[in-house]
Amino acid sequence: MKDYIRSKFTKDTIFWSVFGLILPFPVGTYYLYKILIDFLSNNIASIGEILLSLLFFLIFIFVLNYFKNIRCLIIRKNKLKYYSILMPFGRVVNFDKYIGKIETSETGSGGSYKVVYFVDKNNRTTFKIMGLHYKKFGEIINAIPLRTMDFSPTTIQYFKLMFFERIKITETGANKENEKGVGSAQKIIQIVSLIGISLFVIGIIVKTLTKFG
């Protein structure tokens, strides 16, 4: 019997990771480089070039943020080791530096998914694991030898967790009002995500048609 748990990525995560490496990441890197070169050489770019550069720069930032939480996890006894594109040589997380974990859910264009945050000894959330990327996420949660803290985030705390991943928590127990507010926030995020993806796809199609038209 194995004395460790190794994570496995979902098909969607593999597909979007490959897509991100093939197109947005290199293109975004190129336009980031172009912005810096133009700035350093005092070249005056056209409005179209500036807007296109800013668009791909934003895509570059988005892709970087996406890859940040895609990690190959190996959980063994009292430590977790992970590898990622941004951390190719790996990093070790010792569970004895944390007092517990909280489980919540986040929402994207594909719906809701579970998320786990480790809570350090200062009662602050730190390390984040997104169930969106992994098969059998329940096994990963169960393999983490930290107690599950009873915490129900407010809407503000929910957004802070999503965008900054660090908040100070106290064990509050279940709170229906909080859960209702977070549920409404998740629906808004899902709608905005769908609109954003639709606009991105439409933009690519229009750009392609304009180029070859």
Side-chain angles (χ1 to χ4, degrees), residues 17 21 24 31 38 87 103 120 128 150 156 181 186 195 197 204:
S17 297
L21 286 173
Y31 275 99
D38 288 343
M87 194 70 65
E103 298 177 23
D120 65 20
K128 176 182 180 180
D150 198 2
I156 293 175
Q186 288 176 337
I195 293 173
I197 291 173
I204 291 177

Side-chain angles (χ1 to χ4, degrees), residues 124-135:
R124 289 191 176 274
T125 55
T126 54
F127 194 77
K128 176 182 180 180
I129 306 177
M130 299 172 64
L132 173 69
H133 301 307
Y134 303 102
K135 296 179 180 178

Side-chain angles (χ1 to χ4, degrees), residues 158-177:
Y158 175 77
F159 280 111
K160 283 184 178 179
L161 275 174
M162 277 199 68
F163 296 109
F164 303 107
E165 300 181 9
R166 285 185 65 83
I167 64 169
K168 189 164 185 176
I169 73 165
T170 55
E171 294 191 68
T172 56
N175 187 312
K176 291 184 179 180
E177 288 300 318

Side-chain angles (χ1 to χ4, degrees), residues 137-151:
F137 190 56
E139 289 186 3
I140 295 175
I141 295 175
N142 293 334
I144 298 170
L146 295 173
R147 73 181 185 91
T148 300
M149 302 177 72
D150 198 2
F151 174 71

